[in-house]
Amino acid sequence: DAMVIQNPRYQVTQFGKPVTLSCSQTLNHNVMYWYQQKSSQAPKLLFHYYDKDFNNEADTPDNFQSRRPNTSFCFLDIRSPGLGDAAMYLCATSRQGQVLNEQFFGPGTRLTVL
Amino acid sequence: GEDVEQSLFLSVREGDSSVINCTYTDSSSTYLYWYKQEPGAGLQLLTYIFSNMDMKQDQRLTVLLNKKDKHLSLRIADTQTGDSAIYFCAEPPQGGATNKLIFGSGTLLAVQP
């Protein structure tokens, strides 16, 4: 089945220790998104790629970076995690050019910062 | 600023109807969306409505759109325990960036047997 896969599902890191979260997709979608979701809050878009074109949200902290080496993979790098970065991180994909913007989500990676 | 608002929690008994409400900000949105998030899973598109419609029915789901009040609702008939999940309302941001969606904070639907 075509899908969006996130690894790992649970990630524990230490305060200030860099961490990378991974996302892969078999849908061949050209748009990929990273969201941060805290408890009882809306998913907050951090950035998205249209093919290799990177689009950062204005309020995304510099601490958050992303890489997309090819269509299938996208990575979220947190350079120096703080306690406030503990959250669920959701990866999603969609196909550019569709009026109906259906986004396909992975199951998320829950990040704990000790 | 753009804001999509929902109540946080709704509890119903199995077999009753559930109504989840949402208010949104951008009256020029082409589509409005309902996403469902089951425990341990990502969000999944449940249904949507085109902005020139007032109502859309899809089996047990009814979406109502009141453009004047910028109010969107999702009605689930004969609610089942499998409907227990978080439901997110979403709209595209102002300015027509159709790549993106603005999500509400989600409504947790708890279905009591």
Side-chain angles (χ1 to χ4, degrees):
Chain A
D1 284 341
M3 58 178 59
V4 181
I5 302 161
Q6 290 189 245
N7 285 308
R9 294 292 307 274
Y10 300 90
Q11 176 74 57
V12 180
T13 190
Q14 291 180 336
F15 183 93
K17 185 175 180 182
V19 66
T20 294
L21 308 183
S22 301
C23 177
S24 63
Q25 54 130 338
T26 60
L27 297 161
N28 203 32
H29 285 167
N30 56 347
V31 190
M32 293 188 78
Y33 310 79
W34 278 106
Y35 289 88
Q36 180 192 65
Q37 185 183 21
K38 296 188 176 180
S39 182
S40 301
Q41 295 184 21
K44 179 181 179 297
L45 183 65
L46 297 172
F47 22 61
H48 73 284
Y49 280 92
Y50 167 39
D51 292 325
K52 285 192 173 291
D53 181 21
F54 177 70
N55 298 273
N56 198 32
E57 293 300 298
D59 56 355
T60 298
D62 292 342
N63 198 25
F64 291 86
Q65 305 285 318
S66 186
R67 295 170 283 134
R68 188 179 185 187
N70 53 52
T71 300
S72 301
F73 286 87
C74 195
F75 301 98
L76 170 62
D77 301 308
I78 308 177
R79 292 192 298 188
S80 181
L83 298 178
D85 296 329
M88 177 74 84
Y89 289 88
L90 298 170
C91 175
T93 72
S94 71
R95 184 176 290 120
Q96 172 68 9
Q98 307 295 306
V99 176
L100 178 67
N101 183 10
E102 180 175 4
Q103 296 187 10
F104 295 79
F105 284 80
T109 294
R110 182 166 295 283
L111 178 68
T112 299
V113 181
L114 300 178
Chain B
E2 298 157 13
D3 205 8
V4 179
E5 294 188 354
Q6 303 178 237
S7 54
L8 286 182
F9 183 73
L10 176 66
S11 179
V12 299
R13 300 186 77 90
E14 192 172 20
D16 289 349
S17 292
S18 307
V19 180
I20 301 170
N21 296 302
C22 168
T23 57
Y24 61 95
T25 53
D26 184 12
S27 59
S28 65
S29 296
T30 50
Y31 284 98
L32 293 152
Y33 304 83
W34 285 103
Y35 278 77
K36 177 182 180 183
Q37 185 178 30
E38 296 183 356
L43 282 71
Q44 186 170 23
L45 181 64
L46 182 66
T47 188
Y48 58 90
I49 188 167
F50 192 55
S51 58
N52 69 351
M53 300 170 66
D54 297 323
M55 185 180 82
K56 177 182 178 182
Q57 187 143 6
D58 182 3
Q59 299 182 336
R60 293 190 296 120
L61 305 178
T62 303
V63 180
L64 295 177
L65 177 59
N66 180 330
K67 291 184 283 293
K68 174 176 170 290
D69 294 337
K70 297 182 183 175
H71 183 265
L72 184 72
S73 68
L74 173 68
R75 179 177 181 270
I76 305 173
D78 186 25
T79 312
Q80 304 297 307
T81 54
D83 295 323
S84 295
I86 303 175
Y87 291 82
F88 292 89
C89 169
E91 64 163 345
Q94 292 182 6
T98 56
N99 283 355
K100 304 199 297 189
L101 291 173
I102 306 296
F103 288 91
S105 56
T107 299
L108 174 61
L109 174 64
V111 183
Q112 310 300 323

